[in-house]
Amino acid sequence: MLPSLRHSRCAHTAMLAIVIVSWNVKELLRRCLTAVKASLAAGNLAAEIIVVDNDSHDGTPAMVRSEFPDVQVIEAGANLGFTAGNNLALRRLLQRPDGGPEFVLLLNPDTEPVADAIPQLVAFLQNHPAAIAVGPRLLYGDGSLQSSRRRFPTPLTMVWESTPWERLWPNNPWKRQYHCADRDPHRIQRVGWLVGAALLVRTAAIRQAGLLDERFFMYSEELEWQWRLQWRQPAPPPPNGSRSESVEVGSQIWYLPEVTVIHHEGQSSEQVPVGRHRYFQASRLLLARMWYGWPAAALLRRLIWLGYQYELVVEALKLALGHRPALRRQRIVTYRQVLDALDRLAIM
């Protein structure tokens, strides 16, 4: 039976730390911190808030110190990426003499918790001690639902989801299974893993599983981490549907649709479109190598490379026909640079 979200308010204040890694999104971070404080106040919940600044050049650290003096700022001195930036704060928290907080919320700077979203997430973990992590419903800025529930990927998922080939078959069965399209997004449920824009994790689980894997600069890191948080093994989930479902049933990561966080997705990564493609595909290939071996990763790289070649041909034909030439030229440059990066990429 699924646990109810209709709980009583916590009798004591949870030990909570909120970690936000930011890069050149000062205005969004200001909105995020304002919403975080309002959410904490709505539930009468105290929290330690840490902003890790990945060498922003938009005045982010000065803004935080001036407008949110009780928020801790860690200046990384370089763009460490999402993974290492979070680990920088997590290490400090876990090494504290007092043992660190009971819970850690990893939160993107382009998010806005709605009402008492944060206290509700904390209360769920307090009321359900077997649960390892929990996440909210994510909405885009226009109020539409963002897909955030996931099963673990199979090799075919990696070919057909979020690659150029997906546009040829957008409703393919591997993507649908991966995105839990067969399950009601408005019901509380266990999932394989959750998109990491807003993820509350039990600190004891982090101590057992370890930190995020810094070989992932960004993308796929929360996927691999949430596998370890639950099973603490490098092996992949079973590839077929029925056995994968059994892994999901055994999960202790929960999705709470009655808790809402607004997510203005991709505001940092869209500043560097080539880097976004490169990091996304590099992380996907690294995960394929870790879980399915070198041959599978090499085959996946070839298929991804062919997908971008196909996209390049399509954009060139549209340019020749005079359709939105500025956009076509921009995409051609991007895809050529991504192809060059794929050619040079070593599958770690």
Side-chain angles (χ1 to χ4, degrees):
M1 181 176 178
L2 292 173
S4 173
L5 189 59
R6 303 298 184 186
H7 50 70
S8 60
R9 196 56 78 186
C10 304
H12 63 279
T13 299
M15 294 180 63
L16 170 66
I18 301 172
V19 177
I20 304 170
V21 177
S22 185
W23 184 63
N24 290 323
V25 286
K26 180 178 70 174
E27 296 305 319
L28 284 171
L29 178 61
R30 177 185 284 120
R31 290 169 57 178
C32 175
L33 290 172
T34 301
V36 164
K37 286 184 166 294
S39 183
L40 293 171
N44 194 28
L45 180 65
E48 176 181 0
I49 305 173
I50 302 172
V51 170
V52 179
D53 182 71
N54 271 341
D55 199 27
S56 298
H57 48 74
D58 63 353
T60 290
M63 181 276 292
V64 175
R65 291 190 175 106
S66 171
E67 299 180 24
F68 305 93
D70 57 336
V71 173
Q72 301 176 49
V73 178
I74 301 175
E75 296 192 54
N79 187 0
L80 302 181
F82 179 84
T83 308
N86 274 297
N87 282 351
L88 190 62
L90 289 173
R91 285 191 187 94
R92 295 193 183 190
L93 291 170
L94 297 179
Q95 292 169 1
R96 284 189 345 198
D98 63 2
E102 186 178 354
F103 309 111
V104 177
L105 174 63
L106 301 188
L107 192 64
N108 279 16
D110 55 1
T111 60
E112 296 178 56
V114 175
D116 62 345
I118 297 174
Q120 286 198 64
L121 293 175
V122 170
F124 184 88
L125 288 191
Q126 288 184 316
N127 293 338
H128 303 91
I132 290 171
V134 63
R137 173 182 64 162
L138 297 179
L139 298 182
Y140 290 111
D142 63 2
S144 61
L145 181 67
Q146 178 183 352
S147 171
S148 62
R149 301 166 299 137
R150 298 288 188 273
R151 292 183 170 99
F152 288 104
T154 66
L156 282 173
T157 303
M158 293 181 171
V159 173
W160 286 103
E161 197 274 336
S162 296
T163 69
W165 297 117
E166 181 188 357
R167 283 190 274 280
L168 293 178
W169 191 4
N171 204 33
N172 67 81
W174 300 283
K175 175 187 175 181
R176 287 183 56 79
Q177 183 184 25
Y178 183 57
H179 285 255
C180 302
D182 57 327
R183 300 173 66 184
D184 185 351
H186 303 294
R187 295 186 62 184
I188 300 172
Q189 57 198 267
R190 302 174 194 252
V191 296
W193 64 283
L194 290 164
V195 170
L199 184 69
L200 183 70
V201 185
R202 198 178 297 277
T203 305
I206 300 175
R207 290 188 182 280
Q208 289 185 348
L211 302 179
L212 293 151
D213 189 331
E214 294 186 14
R215 288 176 293 178
F216 298 93
F217 183 82
M218 59 189 298
Y219 300 118
S220 294
E221 72 291 318
E222 79 265 48
L223 187 170
E224 189 276 337
W225 193 47
Q226 288 176 68
W227 173 265
R228 275 190 290 120
L229 285 170
Q230 298 176 81
W231 289 284
R232 300 187 296 281
Q233 299 174 11
N240 74 57
S242 60
R243 292 172 64 200
S244 179
E245 181 71 19
S246 71
V247 169
E248 182 184 332
V249 169
S251 169
Q252 282 298 340
I253 292 179
W254 289 86
Y255 166 77
L256 302 189
E258 296 182 41
V259 178
T260 301
V261 170
I262 306 297
H263 184 206
H264 307 280
E265 187 184 30
Q267 296 300 307
S268 292
S269 60
E270 285 179 0
Q271 300 175 61
V272 282
V274 175
R276 175 169 57 86
H277 282 270
R278 178 164 56 89
Y279 288 128
F280 182 84
Q281 302 302 350
S283 293
R284 179 181 294 257
L285 292 171
L286 172 58
L287 187 71
R289 197 274 296 167
M290 291 169 61
W291 281 7
Y292 301 112
W294 292 95
L299 177 59
L300 178 61
R301 176 165 64 176
R302 184 62 177 171
L303 290 172
I304 292 172
W305 187 89
L306 288 171
Y308 279 107
Q309 285 281 11
Y310 165 79
E311 294 279 33
L312 193 59
V313 170
V314 169
E315 294 300 326
L317 288 174
K318 289 180 179 179
L319 177 62
L321 294 172
H323 182 264
R324 302 180 66 183
L327 174 64
R328 303 308 162 198
R329 291 190 184 96
Q330 179 187 18
R331 288 184 175 176
I332 286 171
V333 170
T334 296
Y335 293 151
R336 282 176 175 167
Q337 291 177 341
V338 172
L339 283 165
D340 182 61
L342 284 170
D343 285 335
R344 293 183 283 107
L345 179 65
I347 305 174
M348 297 176 284

